[in-house]
């Protein structure tokens, strides 16, 4: 999963084909819990580009897109939000995959 490097990059990626932004932080235990399954999820949903957003590095962006709990996911396609799985709750691989499957 690539890391977001700038707000400008976020705007650019959001306006491209299917992109899922995963909001996370190094200190987040629930984020570390799902880390091992993320490569499998990325492979299964290869029509999406997955981008990791460090909550601490991009706190203003998190506020802008109403992400106050992590891990959280927001999907976009051509600038339009397709859906969001945003909460402070621990997420399972099955829940993440169900969210992504519901976007199609």
């Amino acid at each position: 999963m690539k890391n977001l490097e700038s707000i400008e990059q976020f705007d650019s990626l959001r306006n491209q084909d299917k992109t899922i932004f995963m909001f996370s932080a190094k200190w987040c235990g629930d984020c570390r819990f799902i880390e091992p399954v993320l490569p499998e999820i990325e492979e299964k949903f290869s029509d999406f580009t997955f981008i990791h957003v460090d909550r601490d590095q991009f706190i203003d962006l998190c506020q802008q897109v109403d992400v106050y709990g992590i891990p959280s996911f927001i999907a976009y396609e051509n600038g339009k939000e397709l859906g969001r799985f945003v909460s402070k709750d621990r997420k399972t691989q099955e829940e993440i995959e169900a969210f992504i499957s519901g976007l199609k």
Side-chain angles (χ1 to χ4, degrees):
M1 185 175 300
K2 297 177 186 169
N3 291 312
L4 185 68
E5 296 174 12
S6 69
I7 298 289
E8 294 78 20
Q9 183 190 30
F10 175 82
D11 292 334
S12 174
L13 290 167
R14 178 175 57 179
N15 289 310
Q16 293 178 8
D17 286 339
K18 297 178 179 180
T19 305
I20 294 179
F21 295 93
M22 183 190 121
F23 295 82
S24 177
K26 291 182 177 91
W27 50 263
C28 170
D30 290 339
C31 302
R32 300 292 73 78
F33 175 77
I34 61 170
E35 217 168 54
V37 300
L38 291 174
E40 185 180 333
I41 292 171
E42 284 186 83
E43 188 176 317
K44 192 177 281 189
F45 298 96
S46 60
D47 52 329
F48 284 91
T49 300
F50 288 80
I51 304 294
H52 173 263
V53 180
D54 184 307
R55 175 210 168 270
D56 295 336
Q57 186 179 355
F58 293 101
I59 192 72
D60 292 342
L61 173 62
C62 290
Q63 291 174 344
Q64 178 186 326
V65 297
D66 295 323
V67 170
Y68 295 103
I70 54 174
S72 288
F73 299 83
I74 302 180
Y76 291 94
E77 182 176 19
N78 302 320
K80 179 180 180 272
E81 184 176 314
L82 297 177
R84 56 177 53 217
F85 189 12
V86 174
S87 71
K88 62 180 177 50
D89 299 326
R90 177 172 279 187
K91 293 158 182 67
T92 66
Q93 180 175 357
E94 293 77 20
E95 290 172 327
I96 296 166
E97 289 179 1
F99 160 70
I100 298 171
S101 292
L103 298 172
K104 297 182 174 198

